[in-house]
Amino acid sequence: MDIRISHVSGIHSLPVELLADIAKFTESPALCAFRLTCRAMYQSSLYHFAQTFVHTLKTDLSPKSLSRVKEAANDEIFRPCVRKLEIVRNSKGCLGPLSPDITLKGTYIQAWRHVMKRLVNCQSFELRNSTYTTPKTGGDGITLDEATGLILEAMATEHIPMESFSINITKYRSRAHQDNLTQFGITTFGIPAFSHLKELSLVIPDAESGTIDWMAKTIQCAKSLKKLTILFSYKCESTSLLSQLSSVGCLPELEELTFSRMSLESSAALAIFLYSIQNSLRRVTFSFLQLEFGGWRSILRELGGGVYQLDSVNLHSVLEVDKPLSFRRIPEYHLAKASLDKRLYRPFQLCFIDQEDLDFSYSGPALQQVLQKVAIFAELA
């Protein structure tokens, strides 16, 4: 008798709405355990589970992966929860094990377009480890593998409203060993697809003129961009890129900027670009960026001159004429990694200098005064 009463009055007998509310207040491991207890709890917590865990779908472009993503795209509960699609290449850097019947290829591509369009709330896309080849003789820009081209073309064709886009092109495939991959010229990708972007990350292997022009047009089109990250493979000459981005009003809302592995003929190009975004810029990070002799100290004086309203500055292995800038002589808070803003009762990083004296970062009060001192005491290693 007691057993029967306990069974009837168990937690699973509570109204479905109450079980759903209980699920909202459980941590991730407890939520998973909660859902395994019985069918009623599994069903009642499904919506909260989807909101908690189905934020990002990570996939390659094989038919098997297409089926898995299609299931999420067709599910009424899971579909609106998907906010980000993270796409990685398979081991061959191509579309995957397609049917040898070439007539099925168009159907397959259209299936991916349909899936991406069905994910109505997915506005963030990340393409990782795409392969590329050097351009043909007389050509400009990067030529990507077909897998990456498929996704880019789908975004442009279906007019997907992206808010965040990241492409990481790191794997090199020589033109002599292409394995008969169909290629996709990145400079042919439609620029209007980026018009609603708020975050853009470009990890690009070269600075061919066609690639630079495409990058500039892409960034110029993103008028609502708040965060921009550009990383090249190694010290790519980027003066022409900054020149195209330095027009007033080009990036009116940009707040966070990261440049890495660039080389500029003159610090004036960087100074002009930074001045063009001075009203909105709050956080800057520069790493392995080479200027002329005295160029970085000039930039630091500019940033600390009172025009900018920066919250933080991070420098990592920046160079002047192939020699890294050293911060060993800076007296402010040497090796103090963190402190506490007693007015706001929140931690912030003051001045941090690594053991090799090549990294400098500062966030907090009196940033302009600190940058002026850094400009004075910084020296070539």
Side-chain angles (χ1 to χ4, degrees):
M1 187 68 176
D2 293 337
I3 294 176
R4 183 180 61 82
I5 294 173
S6 175
H7 175 74
V8 172
S9 61
I11 188 173
H12 64 278
S13 64
L14 294 173
V16 173
E17 295 82 3
L18 186 54
L19 290 175
D21 284 339
I22 293 173
K24 293 179 182 178
F25 296 96
T26 55
E27 299 292 336
S28 296
L31 176 60
C32 293
F34 179 81
R35 301 186 74 241
L36 294 174
T37 55
C38 69
R39 182 175 296 179
M41 295 181 187
Y42 179 88
Q43 293 293 342
S44 62
S45 61
L46 183 58
Y47 179 71
H48 181 62
F49 175 82
Q51 286 188 316
T52 304
F53 291 99
V54 192
H55 177 275
T56 300
L57 291 183
K58 185 175 181 179
T59 179
D60 60 21
L61 298 178
S62 66
K64 183 177 179 180
S65 296
L66 171 60
S67 298
R68 182 174 63 88
V69 177
K70 187 183 294 184
E71 287 184 14
N74 291 331
D75 189 283
E76 295 298 327
I77 295 179
F78 284 84
R79 180 174 65 248
C81 296
V82 178
R83 305 285 179 172
K84 180 178 180 180
L85 194 60
E86 184 178 325
I87 301 163
V88 297
R89 70 183 185 94
N90 64 12
S91 59
K92 295 182 179 180
C94 57
L95 286 175
L98 291 175
S99 168
D101 186 354
I102 194 65
T103 60
L104 297 178
K105 180 178 175 183
T107 303
Y108 180 75
I109 293 176
Q110 184 57 41
W112 268 108
R113 290 178 178 173
H114 179 70
V115 164
M116 294 174 67
K117 195 171 184 179
R118 290 276 292 168
L119 298 172
V120 292
N121 290 329
C122 184
Q123 298 182 340
S124 179
F125 296 87
E126 181 176 348
L127 279 67
R128 296 177 53 192
N129 298 324
S130 300
T131 59
Y132 78 100
T133 65
T134 53
K136 296 179 180 179
T137 304
D140 287 323
I142 298 169
T143 305
L144 297 172
D145 60 275
E146 187 182 25
T148 303
L150 163 67
I151 297 300
L152 294 178
E153 189 176 8
M155 291 174 182
T157 304
E158 300 300 335
H159 305 289
I160 296 173
M162 294 183 292
E163 290 191 356
S164 174
F165 179 76
S166 172
I167 183 168
N168 186 332
I169 309 172
T170 57
K171 300 297 182 180
Y172 173 77
R173 184 183 294 273
S174 67
R175 187 164 291 280
H177 301 88
Q178 294 179 31
D179 298 335
N180 297 318
L181 288 179
T182 302
Q183 302 298 307
F184 178 91
I186 193 171
T187 56
T188 64
F189 175 42
I191 302 301
F194 289 114
S195 59
H196 300 289
L197 278 182
K198 289 182 171 56
E199 296 185 11
L200 176 62
S201 176
L202 301 172
V203 182
I204 304 292
D206 67 40
E208 295 283 342
S209 59
T211 304
I212 289 291
D213 292 342
W214 173 80
M215 292 172 67
K217 292 176 183 177
T218 298
I219 297 168
Q220 289 170 342
C221 180
K223 296 296 184 182
S224 300
L225 200 64
K226 295 184 179 298
K227 182 178 181 179
L228 174 63
T229 300
I230 299 178
L231 288 81
F232 286 106
S233 58
Y234 186 69
K235 287 196 303 185
C236 288
E237 170 53 44
S238 309
T239 302
S240 62
L241 174 63
L242 295 193
S243 298
Q244 295 183 65
L245 298 179
S246 295
S247 59
V248 177
C250 176
L251 295 168
E253 300 181 20
L254 190 66
E255 297 177 359
E256 184 171 347
L257 175 69
T258 299
F259 283 164
S260 180
R261 301 187 183 279
M262 292 182 176
S263 175
L264 299 174
E265 296 176 354
S266 170
S267 58
L270 179 59
I272 294 171
F273 171 69
L274 291 175
Y275 188 81
S276 71
I277 55 176
Q278 56 161 313
N279 292 330
S280 60
L281 189 63
R282 295 296 178 266
R283 297 172 294 279
V284 294
T285 298
F286 300 118
S287 65
F288 296 101
L289 202 160
Q290 178 173 297
L291 301 178
E292 79 282 11
F293 179 77
W296 274 114
R297 285 159 282 190
S298 174
I299 292 295
L300 289 170
R301 284 192 294 270
E302 182 75 18
L303 293 177
V307 176
Y308 295 85
Q309 303 177 47
L310 295 173
D311 295 328
S312 68
V313 173
N314 298 280
L315 302 177
H316 172 66
S317 298
V318 294
L319 303 100
E320 292 183 358
V321 197
D322 288 326
K323 292 185 178 180
L325 201 63
S326 171
F327 305 102
R328 67 171 63 93
R329 293 179 55 211
I330 298 175
E332 294 286 335
Y333 309 108
H334 185 67
L335 297 180
K337 291 187 178 181
S339 185
L340 182 70
D341 187 335
K342 295 181 179 179
R343 298 169 301 168
L344 302 177
Y345 293 97
R346 63 176 175 82
F348 62 81
Q349 193 173 22
L350 281 172
C351 177
F352 170 65
I353 304 172
D354 73 332
Q355 294 181 354
E356 296 181 356
D357 303 316
L358 301 181
D359 289 7
F360 167 82
S361 64
Y362 185 93
S363 63
L367 186 144
Q368 293 179 359
Q369 295 91 318
V370 170
L371 291 181
Q372 290 289 348
K373 290 187 177 182
V374 172
I376 295 173
F377 289 105
E379 60 187 4
L380 296 182

